[in-house]
Amino acid sequence: MPVITVKMGKASVEKKKELIEKLTSAATEVTNIPASSYTVFIDEFEYDSIGVGGQTLAEKFATK
């Protein structure tokens, strides 16, 4: 059973569904393993729990 894990900020249910579908499709195309064999985990984090370049994403988004 192949597993795909994604760690990211919060996303809508619709975006997560799209991500799962597209990741599964791409992995199936590359590996020739059936889509039904794949499990996708999405770990979501609040933007104040993700840091890029010494700032949280909450800080980065607040300055835009």
Side-chain angles (χ1 to χ4, degrees):
M1 167 181 78
V3 175
I4 299 169
T5 302
V6 178
K7 296 177 184 279
M8 59 187 251
K10 296 287 184 181
S12 69
V13 171
E14 295 82 16
K15 287 295 178 184
K16 289 186 283 189
K17 182 174 176 10
E18 181 181 359
L19 183 60
I20 289 167
E21 289 172 356
K22 289 184 176 183
L23 287 171
T24 302
S25 177
T28 298
E29 182 180 327
V30 170
T31 64
N32 293 317
I33 296 171
S36 60
S37 296
Y38 279 91
T39 300
V40 179
F41 291 103
I42 298 176
D43 290 333
E44 291 183 282
F45 299 94
E46 298 293 336
Y47 288 142
D48 62 355
S49 297
I50 302 170
V52 176
Q55 288 185 304
T56 65
L57 287 186
E59 294 170 318
K60 284 187 169 287
F61 291 149
T63 60
K64 289 186 176 187

